[in-house]
């Protein structure tokens, strides 16, 4: 099979779910995971080192990971971004949910700052190809090798200055205490990053409802139990992801 990329290509993804599938599909470039979950926890407007320490403390406390392990992993991921310019080609692999899209916004801001002299493409999808037997598309990790090749051939778009500018605006708005700017960006029509507005609306839905004090995930969890009765937490999560959440973004961890 003819290689789809080259050894000087970097595939950047907000997780490791497609790492092995890319290899099976015939991709031969390097792989970088950047998976700081900005959809959860504080994203303060702080200098890089202090920001990473804040994020690591949140991740450690929320996901029961050793403090130093969480900090070392994050530092490694952030430091790796400084090397984007050493590749001839960088491909950003993302889907349409808030977990992916907020990381994509961060990367737009970071790339605009770093200004690596390399060819960069963005793959951002909200559906699976018709030949994939998937009831509901949630993420790229569901796709077969042929599905990833389909993304490469049909949904790979050169990075533009408009994407960088819009993504940087989203990232800056996300770091503010007041959600006004983020709410305005969520209403953007014909956005350069087309899946960003819907992802922002889903993210903003996690803010406490004025009447109930609950975010959407909390409300849907109660609705599932009300509709279907008591059940193990894992089953509740399954119903949330498969049926109830309008734009699922939570990982199994």
């Amino acid at each position: 099979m003819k290689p789809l990329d080259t050894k000087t290509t970097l595939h950047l993804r907000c997780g490791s779910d497609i790492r092995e599938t890319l290899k099976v599909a015939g991709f031969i470039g390097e792989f970088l995971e950047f998976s700081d979950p900005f959809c959860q926890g504080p994203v303060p407007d702080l200098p890089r080192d202090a920001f990473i320490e804040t994020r690591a403390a949140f991740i450690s406390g929320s996901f029961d990971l050793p403090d130093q392990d969480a900090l070392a992993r994050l530092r490694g991921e952030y430091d790796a971004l400084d090397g984007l310019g050493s590749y001839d080609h960088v491909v950003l692999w993302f889907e349409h949910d808030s977990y992916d899209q907020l990381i994509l916004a961060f990367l737009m801001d970071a790339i605009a700052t770093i200004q690596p002299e390399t060819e960069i493409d963005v793959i951002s999808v909200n559906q699976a190809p018709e030949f994939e037997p998937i009831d509901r598309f949630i993420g790229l990790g569901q796709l077969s090798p042929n599905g990833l090749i389909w993304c490469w051939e049909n949904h790979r778009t050169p990075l533009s200055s408009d994407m960088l500018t819009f993504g940087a605006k989203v990232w800056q708005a996300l770091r503010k205490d007041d959600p006004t700017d983020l709410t305005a960006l969520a209403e953007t029509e014909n956005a350069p990053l087309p899946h960003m507005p819907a992802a922002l609306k889903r993210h903003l839905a996690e803010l406490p409802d004025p009447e109930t004090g609950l975010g959407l995930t909390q409300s849907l969890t109660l609705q599932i139990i009300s509709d279907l009765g008591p059940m193990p937490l894992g089953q509740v999560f399954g119903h949330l992801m498969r049926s109830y959440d309008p734009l699922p973004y939570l990982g199994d961890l």
Side-chain angles (χ1 to χ4, degrees):
M1 178 179 178
K2 181 181 178 180
L4 294 158
D5 57 351
T6 70
K7 291 183 179 180
T8 56
T9 298
L10 176 69
H11 300 278
L12 198 162
R13 168 78 174 139
C14 54
S16 58
D17 53 349
I18 66 170
R19 183 196 300 263
E20 295 304 317
T21 314
L22 285 172
K23 294 179 182 178
V24 174
F27 294 92
I28 60 175
E30 294 188 25
F31 186 90
L32 173 62
E33 174 180 347
F34 184 93
S35 54
D36 192 346
F38 300 130
C39 57
Q40 294 179 309
V43 282
D45 190 5
L46 294 173
R48 173 166 160 163
D49 287 346
F51 180 79
I52 292 173
E53 290 174 0
T54 300
R55 293 297 302 166
F58 165 73
I59 291 171
S60 173
S62 297
F63 301 111
D64 195 26
L65 299 173
D67 293 348
Q68 291 305 312
D69 289 354
L71 183 58
R73 174 170 175 167
L74 274 194
R75 282 177 173 164
E77 292 184 1
Y78 280 82
D79 288 348
L81 296 178
D82 295 332
L84 295 185
S86 64
Y87 296 90
D88 292 335
H89 187 198
V90 175
V91 184
L92 312 178
W93 292 79
F94 289 83
E95 65 245 12
H96 58 312
D97 59 66
S98 60
Y99 172 76
D100 282 50
Q101 292 294 308
L102 295 184
I103 293 178
L104 183 59
F106 162 79
L107 290 173
M108 295 296 97
D109 183 79
I111 290 170
T113 301
I114 300 169
Q115 296 184 335
E117 295 183 0
T118 185
E119 178 187 359
I120 301 178
D121 289 332
V122 178
I123 293 175
S124 182
V125 297
N126 65 350
Q127 62 183 357
E130 292 183 358
F131 58 78
E132 293 278 20
I134 297 173
D135 291 333
R136 185 185 193 189
F137 177 72
I138 295 176
L140 292 170
Q142 296 172 284
L143 299 183
S144 68
N146 285 333
L148 295 183
I149 293 172
W150 174 83
C151 291
W152 175 272
E153 293 178 343
N154 297 280
H155 292 278
R156 182 163 48 94
T157 304
L159 180 67
S160 68
S161 59
D162 287 345
M163 291 178 183
L164 291 174
T165 299
F166 183 68
K169 286 181 179 179
V170 170
W171 178 245
Q172 292 158 14
L174 183 68
R175 303 179 78 180
K176 293 182 178 180
D177 292 334
D178 187 324
T180 301
D181 290 350
L182 204 63
T183 302
L185 289 166
E187 299 299 329
T188 304
E189 296 183 0
N190 301 316
L193 299 170
H195 303 128
M196 187 68 72
L200 294 181
K201 290 178 182 178
R202 177 65 188 88
H203 180 66
L204 289 163
E206 289 299 290
L207 291 173
D209 181 271
E211 295 183 3
T212 66
L214 301 178
L216 182 57
T217 297
Q218 295 169 323
S219 296
L220 292 176
T221 299
L222 294 179
Q223 187 63 50
I224 292 167
I225 297 169
S226 175
D227 291 346
L228 305 176
M231 67 184 75
L233 181 60
Q235 292 183 23
V236 175
F237 180 76
H239 287 291
L240 176 72
M241 297 293 281
R242 290 192 300 270
S243 305
Y244 281 75
D245 197 319
L247 188 53
Y249 71 96
L250 292 169
D252 52 2
L253 184 60

